[in-house]
């Protein structure tokens, strides 16, 4: 049931006993439980991912866990944490996730937000979908499962940047709602800001700066979002950017709206 834990003591790895009254001499720890609790088979097991550390005059121990396909791994806490990093930077870490069709202006917006934050003395970093496929995700294609893995990896990296205290700006088509929601679930409540570039397909196709729509229409690219692969718009995004009276706002105007949101929500200071 749940994860499998072992006790690590030096180089030795021992199964963690579940029976009461077993004395673990190597760790100077006695596991105690009342007979009533021990006899009650319906009592819930301990939280599967909880990890403990004992310091002082007793020898410490760690709980070894299995996560996914990784076994015999430990979570190591450092004395300098997110709070200390945020205080140093005088800002709070978060992820601004920009989603929309190809040609909707995601990358342009991301760079405009980055420039505006930089001008305010705030540290941010852009994770651009195409750029990441030159390195981190270069072994992935555009099948549904590859797209999901692409977004998962970017979500994990974005989470690390946010934990470091940065404003991480992720710019990806990220067409599937479930994948974006999975990235949202990686972060604390309120720290994932979804920005929907709600631009019509006709506008995106008219721009076609990369010539991809033309290739997709000619059948030379398969599984192209908006043509023969679906885009699932957000249902409850924090910010939606769209045309007004058929006119698209300037990148600076849209960036200003996003930065104002960050300011209002307290991400640009630690007070």
């Amino acid at each position: 049931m749940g994860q499998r834990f072992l006790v690590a003591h030096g180089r030795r790895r021992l199964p963690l006993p579940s029976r009461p009254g077993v004395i673990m001499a190597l760790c100077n720890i006695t596991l105690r439980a009342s007979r009533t609790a021990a006899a009650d088979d319906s009592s819930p097991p301990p939280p599967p991912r909880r990890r403990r550390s004992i310091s002082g005059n007793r020898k410490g121990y760690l709980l070894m866990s299995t996560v996914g396909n990784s076994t015999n791994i430990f979570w190591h806490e450092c004395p300098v944490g997110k709070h200390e990093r945020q205080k140093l930077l005088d800002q709070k870490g978060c992820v601004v996730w920009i989603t929309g069709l190809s040609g909707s202006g995601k990358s342009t917006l991301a760079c405009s937000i980055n420039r505006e934050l930089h001008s305010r003395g705030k540290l941010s970093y852009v994770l651009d979908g195409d750029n990441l496929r030159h390195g981190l995700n270069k072994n992935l294609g555009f099948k549904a499962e590859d797209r999901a893995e692409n977004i998962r990896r970017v979500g994990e990296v974005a989470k690390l940047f946010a934990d470091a205290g940065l404003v991480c700006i992720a710019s990806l088509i990220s067409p599937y709602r479930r994948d974006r929601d999975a990235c949202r679930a990686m972060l604390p409540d309120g720290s994932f800001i979804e920005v929907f570039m709600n631009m019509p397909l006709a506008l995106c196709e008219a721009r076609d700066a990369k010539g991809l729509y033309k290739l997709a229409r000619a059948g030379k690219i398969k599984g192209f979002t908006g043509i023969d692969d679906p885009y699932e718009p957000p249902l409850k995004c924090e910010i939606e950017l769209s045309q007004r009276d058929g006119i698209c706002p300037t990148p600076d105007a849209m960036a200003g709206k996003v930065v104002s949101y960050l300011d209002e929500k307290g991400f640009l200071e630690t007070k």
Side-chain angles (χ1 to χ4, degrees):
M1 294 178 62
Q3 293 172 310
R4 177 173 176 265
F5 292 101
L6 301 177
V7 170
H9 186 275
R11 295 184 177 179
R12 301 190 64 180
R13 303 293 185 268
L14 303 174
L16 180 63
S18 59
R19 298 188 303 274
V22 177
I23 300 177
M24 302 172 63
L26 288 175
C27 300
N28 291 334
I29 298 169
T30 301
L31 301 180
R32 298 184 177 90
S34 68
R35 292 183 179 179
T36 302
D40 185 3
D41 293 336
S42 64
S43 59
R49 298 192 66 180
R50 187 177 181 182
R51 302 166 178 87
R52 299 175 57 199
S53 166
I54 293 180
S55 58
N57 59 6
R58 290 184 292 176
K59 298 179 182 179
Y61 74 93
L62 297 170
L63 291 183
M64 183 185 295
S65 64
T66 298
V67 180
N69 292 327
S70 299
T71 59
N72 303 336
I73 58 175
F74 302 86
W75 184 268
H76 186 83
E77 293 287 351
C78 293
V80 177
K82 183 177 181 179
H83 176 75
E84 289 75 20
R85 292 188 288 271
Q86 292 183 150
K87 187 176 181 181
L88 180 67
L89 296 171
D90 190 28
Q91 63 184 59
K92 296 176 183 176
C94 65
V95 173
V96 176
W97 192 281
I98 306 173
T99 176
L101 294 172
S102 177
S104 61
K106 299 181 301 299
S107 296
T108 301
L109 175 61
C111 291
S112 296
I113 296 171
N114 192 41
R115 184 174 61 248
E116 176 63 22
L117 290 173
H118 180 77
S119 70
R120 296 190 181 202
K122 301 303 175 183
L123 191 58
S124 60
Y125 194 86
V126 175
L127 296 177
D128 182 83
D130 277 7
N131 291 354
L132 291 170
R133 283 184 177 273
H134 282 78
L136 178 67
N137 295 333
K138 65 182 179 181
N139 64 324
L140 298 175
F142 290 91
K143 296 183 295 184
E145 55 269 28
D146 281 358
R147 287 178 183 266
E149 175 60 14
N150 176 57
I151 300 306
R152 187 196 68 80
R153 291 183 191 179
V154 178
E156 291 287 358
V157 173
K159 180 178 71 174
L160 294 177
F161 273 111
D163 187 64
L166 278 69
V167 176
C168 181
I169 308 163
S171 169
L172 304 96
I173 294 175
S174 43
Y176 306 135
R177 195 175 297 125
R178 65 177 181 275
D179 296 332
R180 299 193 303 267
D181 290 344
C183 292
R184 180 186 291 274
M186 296 179 186
L187 289 117
D189 289 344
S191 296
F192 185 93
I193 299 99
E194 190 173 26
V195 180
F196 176 30
M197 296 293 288
N198 188 10
M199 301 299 167
L201 175 62
L203 172 65
C204 299
E205 193 167 357
R207 289 172 173 173
D208 203 13
K210 303 173 185 177
L212 299 178
Y213 282 102
K214 184 177 181 180
L215 293 173
R217 290 294 188 187
K220 296 180 180 180
I221 297 179
K222 300 296 184 182
F224 191 79
T225 302
I227 303 300
D228 58 348
D229 201 68
Y231 176 82
E232 301 172 354
L235 298 178
K236 294 181 179 180
C237 61
E238 282 70 20
I239 300 173
E240 181 175 340
L241 301 172
S242 59
Q243 291 181 319
R244 292 184 178 180
D245 299 324
I247 300 175
C248 184
T250 66
D252 287 344
M254 292 188 288
K257 184 173 181 179
V258 175
V259 173
S260 294
Y261 178 92
L262 295 175
D263 199 8
E264 292 169 4
K265 296 298 181 179
F267 288 105
L268 303 186
E269 61 181 5
T270 54
K271 297 178 183 179

